[in-house]
Amino acid sequence: MSAQIGVTGLAVMGANLARNLARNGYTVALHNRSVEKTDALLEKHGSEGDFIRTESLQELVDSLEKPRRVLIMVKAGAPVDSVIEQLEPLLEPGDIVIDAGNSHYEDTRRREAALAEKNLHFVGVGVSGGEEGALLGPSIMPGGSRESYDSLGPMLEKISAKYNGEPCCRWVGTDGAGHFVKMVHNGIEYADMQVIGEAYDVLRTAAGIEPAEQAKIFTDWNTGTLSSFLIEITAEVLAHTDARTGQPFVDVVVDSAGQKGTGRWTVVSALELGSPTSGIAESVFARGLSSQRGQRELAQGILEGHEGTVELPEGFVEDVRLALYASKLVSYAQGIDMLTAAAKEYGWDLKLDEIASLWRAGCIIRAELLDDIMKAYAAEEKPANLLLAPAFAESIAGAVPAWRRVVATAVQLGIPVPVFSSSLAYYDGLRRKRLPAALTQGLRDLFGAHTYNRVDAEGTFHTLWGEDRSEVEAVDTH
């Protein structure tokens, strides 16, 4: 018996992807550095489909039909390079190596180029949905060559999540495109979770609404425009009571949020691309600040807040809902804008409507509004920015008064709302006729002769600040 695909790395995600493949009718060869994990998977789940047990990478390769497909599920970074180094001499031209972990897209681009020189395909695959998604159907974002997708795609589409019968898996683009799209997905996820946290904090601190009551509010919100996986599980977490103390679960959890790094990668990449992802960046920084517990404890005894008192407007809960919706929309807009910038930088033909369609099921950021995002970019006239699409421009405009009230209330009460406020600033920055960047350019020209452009003339100019302050045409040194 030969296998259609091999999986090396049988921790939870690798094991669940292997089981998913077997459940969908594929024969799967299994390999792990420690054979005990292979045997444990077979003992517990061997009846779910056809598996081939192997003890070495050579055995794994020998058990595969051609072209061979080997899926790597090990920790990102050096471990992936190590497995590739061991696999490469065992493979033949046309074989496909798949990295379905959370690798950095630049590593994927490097690996794809190196293996292409040896006529091997390397496919970086973004997989979202966590452990459950890996088993029951994740959102899958494959990169690599189109030729490799012709061989691998049907298999990935079969095991992916389905939305109205459509697989949440499509070829995204060449080399590192798949892992880049997954990275941006995770950046949006960071911002989405942070704005939900800010909404919870404002409702509790400003309006005095306790977690159990908030659970009902979030459950209600999940039936409207905010309908999404994260809103759904927020209600579940807020409704949960700690068995040991009888307190709300959120009150016994340390308020220090961890991170695996993909959100940070998103922000660094956005800076390199010059793409303004302020909401995503603030969500990453908010996690960082939450983790500085020592400084925070010191600050509580030293720093004064001078908080005021605020009379909450009638309908404040609805205000928070609208602020949450608008900020959530901005995080998607910033992420999609970053995809556009990356497509230009790396020569990827990213189809934004198709990418939005991949996120409609299986993944962490799946949400009702993705249908409308997909339609906006499937239209003949595509918006330059998601917020400029007619449907979203209208809905966010209706939310602006409430958004401003919530941010103002939070500021007056000393409640940090970094993503609510930075997202509002992004919105205002987009729509303002003039920005203070004109002054910035003047300052740059004075101290560094960096030049500037004029609103009333073509060309690049420099003022002779240290002389008679006359203006001369200059070569642009940007």
Side-chain angles (χ1 to χ4, degrees):
M1 184 168 65
S2 60
Q4 282 95 42
I5 190 167
V7 178
T8 179
L10 300 176
V12 176
M13 285 293 289
N16 282 2
L17 282 172
R19 292 170 60 197
N20 189 348
L21 286 158
R23 287 175 168 194
N24 278 280
Y26 297 105
T27 301
V28 183
L30 302 173
H31 171 263
N32 197 75
R33 190 171 55 179
S34 60
V35 182
E36 290 79 13
K37 278 197 175 178
T38 307
D39 291 338
L41 189 155
L42 287 170
E43 183 179 352
K44 197 169 184 181
H45 305 291
S47 62
E48 293 182 349
D50 293 326
F51 296 103
I52 297 176
R53 178 186 182 277
T54 71
E55 294 190 4
S56 68
L57 285 175
Q58 182 69 68
E59 276 188 51
L60 180 76
V61 169
D62 290 343
S63 70
L64 298 173
E65 67 179 27
K66 297 180 183 179
R68 300 178 182 90
R69 308 175 189 91
V70 182
L71 190 151
I72 301 172
M73 279 302 291
V74 299
K75 189 177 179 182
V80 176
D81 286 321
S82 176
V83 174
I84 292 171
E85 189 178 335
Q86 296 170 65
L87 267 176
E88 184 266 317
L90 309 177
L91 300 174
E92 297 176 358
D95 288 347
I96 304 169
V97 179
I98 308 133
D99 174 13
N102 269 333
S103 289
H104 193 278
Y105 73 97
E106 289 285 17
D107 286 340
T108 303
R109 298 184 77 220
R110 168 178 58 80
R111 292 163 182 153
E112 196 269 346
L115 290 181
E117 289 181 2
K118 297 169 182 176
N119 295 315
L120 295 171
H121 296 285
F122 185 77
V123 179
V125 177
V127 178
S128 177
E131 298 172 11
E132 186 175 307
L135 180 63
L136 303 178
S139 168
I140 305 178
M141 298 150 260
S145 67
R146 181 74 221 197
E147 183 186 350
S148 65
Y149 190 75
D150 290 341
S151 169
L152 185 64
M155 187 177 293
L156 296 180
E157 289 175 16
K158 193 167 184 181
I159 69 165
S160 73
K162 306 298 185 296
Y163 183 85
N164 291 338
E166 293 180 35
C168 291
C169 172
R170 289 198 189 188
W171 180 65
V172 172
T174 54
D175 54 72
H179 275 142
F180 188 93
V181 170
K182 172 56 166 42
M183 178 188 74
V184 172
H185 163 286
N186 284 23
I188 295 170
E189 177 188 312
Y190 271 56
D192 208 344
M193 283 195 280
Q194 177 63 25
V195 289
I196 288 171
E198 290 174 18
Y200 153 76
D201 196 6
V202 169
L203 288 174
R204 193 170 191 187
T205 306
I209 303 174
E210 292 301 305
E213 189 60 32
Q214 284 203 42
K216 298 173 185 174
I217 291 170
F218 276 91
T219 298
D220 181 56
W221 286 355
N222 196 45
T223 62
T225 54
L226 280 175
S227 176
S228 64
F229 172 68
L230 285 172
I231 294 291
E232 176 188 335
I233 64 171
T234 297
E236 190 174 341
V237 171
L238 289 174
H240 184 53
T241 300
D242 176 53
R244 190 183 305 180
T245 63
Q247 298 295 310
F249 172 71
V250 289
D251 288 348
V252 301
V253 176
V254 174
D255 60 337
S256 177
Q259 52 184 307
K260 293 283 185 73
T262 48
R264 185 166 61 247
W265 291 350
T266 309
V267 176
V268 172
S269 298
L271 288 169
E272 291 170 344
L273 291 166
S275 185
T277 56
S278 50
I280 294 171
E282 288 292 354
S283 68
V284 174
F285 296 143
R287 290 199 193 187
L289 179 60
S290 77
S291 298
Q292 294 183 330
R293 290 180 54 78
Q295 289 187 31
R296 288 173 54 211
E297 286 170 6
L298 285 172
Q300 288 162 32
I302 298 170
L303 301 181
E304 290 294 336
H306 298 290
E307 296 95 335
T309 56
V310 179
E311 187 175 338
L312 298 182
E314 191 177 344
F316 185 68
V317 171
E318 175 63 8
D319 278 0
V320 174
R321 184 190 74 82
L322 290 168
L324 175 53
Y325 171 77
S327 300
K328 182 185 180 85
L329 199 55
V330 166
S331 69
Y332 279 93
Q334 291 181 347
I336 290 169
D337 201 48
M338 187 175 168
L339 293 178
T340 302
K344 291 177 184 174
E345 177 71 18
Y346 300 114
W348 295 329
D349 181 21
L350 300 182
K351 294 179 170 57
L352 300 177
D353 58 326
E354 292 185 3
I355 290 171
S357 77
L358 303 184
W359 295 342
R360 292 180 299 171
C363 71
I364 305 303
I365 66 169
R366 58 187 183 265
E368 196 73 30
L369 58 78
L370 280 159
D371 252 342
D372 289 331
I373 293 175
M374 191 184 77
K375 289 171 187 171
Y377 287 103
E380 194 171 330
E381 193 172 333
K382 295 170 175 49
N385 183 294
L386 177 64
L387 302 184
L388 305 181
F392 292 122
E394 184 178 341
S395 63
I396 204 167
V400 168
W403 201 2
R404 295 197 192 285
R405 285 193 294 269
V406 170
V407 170
T409 299
V411 170
Q412 287 177 283
L413 294 175
I415 305 168
V417 285
V419 180
F420 272 2
S421 54
S422 66
S423 299
L424 180 56
Y426 174 84
Y427 174 84
D428 283 333
L430 273 181
R431 66 173 195 84
R432 284 287 297 278
K433 186 174 182 180
R434 293 279 290 172
L435 293 173
L439 175 58
T440 303
Q441 284 300 88
L443 297 173
R444 294 179 73 239
D445 189 58
L446 189 151
F447 68 67
H450 290 296
T451 75
Y452 54 88
N453 302 112
R454 294 182 60 93
V455 297
D456 56 359
E458 294 294 322
T460 304
F461 301 91
H462 168 59
T463 291
L464 301 172
W465 297 99
E467 300 175 31
D468 62 357
R469 302 205 171 196
S470 60
E471 183 178 77
V472 296
E473 281 210 61
V475 176
D476 191 344
T477 59
H478 284 70

